[in-house]
Amino acid sequence: MASSHSSSPVPQSNSSDAFFKKEMDASKRFRPVQSLPDVCPKEPTGDPSNLCDSPSLVVDQHRWTIYHSKVNLPAALNDPRLAKRESDFFTKTWGVDFVDTEVTPSFYLPQITKEHFALYQQEITPREKIHEKCKNICPPKDTFDRTLLHTHDKSRRDLEQVPKIFMKPDFALEDSITFNAVLPWSHFNTAGGKGNRDAASSKLLQEKLSHYLDIVEVNIAHQISLRSEAFFHAMTSQHELQDYLRKTSQAVKLLREKISKIDKVMCEGSLRVLRLSLTRNNCIKAYNKLKLMATVHQTQPTVQLLLSTSEFVGALDLIATTQEVLQQELQGIHSFRHLGSQLCELEKLIDKMMIAEFSTYARNDLNRPLEDDCQILEEERLVSLVFGLLKQRKLNFCEIYGDEMIITAKNIIKQCVVNTVSQIEEIDTEVVVKLADQMRMMNFPQWFDLLKNIFSKFTIFLKRIKATLNIIRSVVLLVLDKNQKTRDLEDTLQKDSAKDSTVDTEVAYLTHEGMFISDAFGEGDLPPVAADTTSQRNISPNSEPCSSDSVSEPECTTDSSSSKEQTSSSVTPGGVEIMISDDMKLTDLELGRLANNIQELLYNASDICHDRSVKFLMARAKDGFLEKLNSSEFVALSRLMEGFILDTEQVCGRKSMSLRGALQSQANKFVNRFHEERKTKLSLLLDNERWKQAEVPAEFQDLVDSVSDGRISLPEKKAAAAEERKPAEFLIVEGQKYATVGTVLLLIRIILEYCQCVDNIPSITTDMLTRLSDLLKYFNSRSCQLVLGAGALQVVGLKTITTKNLALSSRCLQLIVHYIPIIRAHFEARLQPKQFSMLRHFDHITKDYHDHIAEISAKLVAIMDSLFDKLLSKYEVKAPVPSACFRNICKQMAKMHEAIYDLLPEEQTQMLFLRINASYKLHLKRQLAHLNVVNDGGPQNGLVTADVAFYTGNLQALKGLNNLDLNMAEIWEQKR
């Protein structure tokens, strides 16, 4: 093991095969045994056969390999723990489990079966049969002489005594290693007391070398003796061979003379013509190639000239054409070996220049003065830049344009604020340095004009962006359309080529391989096209080509056959005509995605404008400025923002929610403040209301009249007309008179303000509906507490709640109930169908109001009921007639009528007195039953009848009650 890894300065990889080299050459069919890899393998010299994957001590000295294993395998497998040793060899050496252990089949080696050798058997069986047949037909001949064989074996044994180093083909004593191996220096060392032994050793070495020389000479002589017969036979045949050579030389000389004459007479002229023709063609090719080289040499100056005029597309086309010519027509030209890399670097430079140019264009386009016109800045330059970027697959220009949009949007707001602040003298820019603080010092009209200016600038800004992006998108769509047309054309050509494939195969082949047409046709039958092709391809082998591709077409042009791009003309929406070539590297999917990204960029522009507007609003709203706006100011702000939102949606085609969300947030704050202010105002009015009938100013009558026309809106104040018209006693609503208190008149105006606010700000409809419902509920509950609950006694200081207060409260409630359906219809027209469920609030409010009105009516009846109970409980049937009790009752009924008749409608008054009369009849009937007075026509009956007649006459004498059916017969008990 140690010897196999020892290193030696003498390469010994082939020393073992040197002596028997001839024998190995005679038996090459035997596969040589592969030796173990050398510890220092040879370095690779370019021959793949010399490259091996054997381990090396130099490379693998720090990596463990299988050659580091030094454990004896039998010792490793021997189990020392076994108690006894088995007699079997395997079990004794490798343990008891050797026989029983099953080797798990490897997952990396296939299972070899007989089927794997089936193909080999099929191939080798016929050969074996042929071999056996040949052996039977030609039996082997024993041509070897036993003596010669014995002699050969003896000489071979003798030669084996000679060291193999003498048999090496590169044996040379000049080599120090070989010399030391043949003549070791130790044999010539005579120092010390070893002189005699070294001399003997040197003599023995000399004799050994002489013995080797004798063996070689004997073998050489033996080989000569074996071939002596053939040597003498050759010598005897030499004279006959010389005679044959002499005759042959004379015949060859004669033949050469005849051929020389034929060549001069018949061939030399024709071959010279062909040679001159080929030389002429080669000269033409060389001339055209030189012209092409001169043209290519001018590529870089031409590209520089095109770049100076921003003709990026033309420069890129020129570079692409030149690169293609260099790879095809001028391949291998030494003078152009660096031109390709220079053009690649120039192309990269153009890419950077186009991106920088596009950034500059976007900056100049977006930052130019925002006027009303939306014309495109240098449309031809834009089209050229976009087309060049598409050609080079530089699709990040959308991101560049988007970044410029963000910067420009910021600058627009900043410039507008600066211009506005500079025109306001009240703002000292030296004291207030920050622009946001200067903006917060503006009042609402100034800030509103600033916001309107910003919105108008943003609208023009978006229109300008849309126009520019439309041009870019049109270029992309034109390229996409061109790709689709090219694909359709290719499909059509493929179909046509499939139809033309019915041409005769042999003729087509001969046409393609022009060199064979002359063999298939005669000179007269040779087609002209084939003849031309043959003349071009039949080139003399002695002629030298002018360049590496001299077999190409004679006429060389600047554009190679493959670089002749088909171009089509297209026109952008702006009227700019562009030439689209077929060498676009973009796929339809990439172009479609780019077109969508451009459209998305327009949406992003809208979002950017909205986001910057939101930040502008939030900067102004930090000190609560927007929450302090009154209704008209907030409505104006809301309308301005809604108009801007609609304008951006019309320009960009998509809704942006940021500004709408900010408006909704401010609207919610406005609604809360709006509602709280009016609820507080209503609460103060109710707390100070004395529940007396109030005069109706003309403006409130006009307000009610405007609602009667079917539209809910606050009419404009007419100062002059209001001074001439006097307040009215009642409020006329659709022909009915309503006596009201001042709080209800203001409540109606507040309700109309809610409705008007919904018209002005549609986004707050649902919030306003909820707040208005809360306001109406609050009025109902608070008025109930003050009137029915007698809360006004403590709040306002009323002495008592009179029937007039109750009737007036009921009439006010009826007026509000009259307007609830109108309010409901107003909100219903402005709600989405899915929001109609919110209208149930009005149904609940209407029910609550009707219940409240019914409670007031019941309260009025209860007042009279208690009076009847008090008076009739003391009633006695006796003279005089009418009695004092009935006089008091009639007096109280007259007061009640007087209190409510002017407040309530006649129908309600009649219904109320019918209920009061029913209560009166019930108490009178109970008292008569208590007094045992019956309808028997007696004296008591007559007295009661007289009192009842007095009551009936007085009650029917009241205004509006003359036709009232009192049915006084019900006071008597019916006889059973």
Side-chain angles (χ1 to χ4, degrees), residues 506 510 514-532 534 538:
E506 181 180 1
L510 293 176
M515 64 181 68
F516 297 113
I517 293 181
S518 59
D519 299 334
F521 299 95
E523 289 185 358
D525 299 333
L526 191 66
V529 177
D532 294 339
T534 305
N538 289 338

Side-chain angles (χ1 to χ4, degrees), residues 426-440:
E426 292 81 3
I427 300 176
D428 190 357
T429 56
E430 295 180 358
V431 178
V432 183
V433 180
K434 291 185 178 181
L435 203 60
D437 296 336
Q438 296 174 0
M439 179 192 65
R440 293 190 187 98

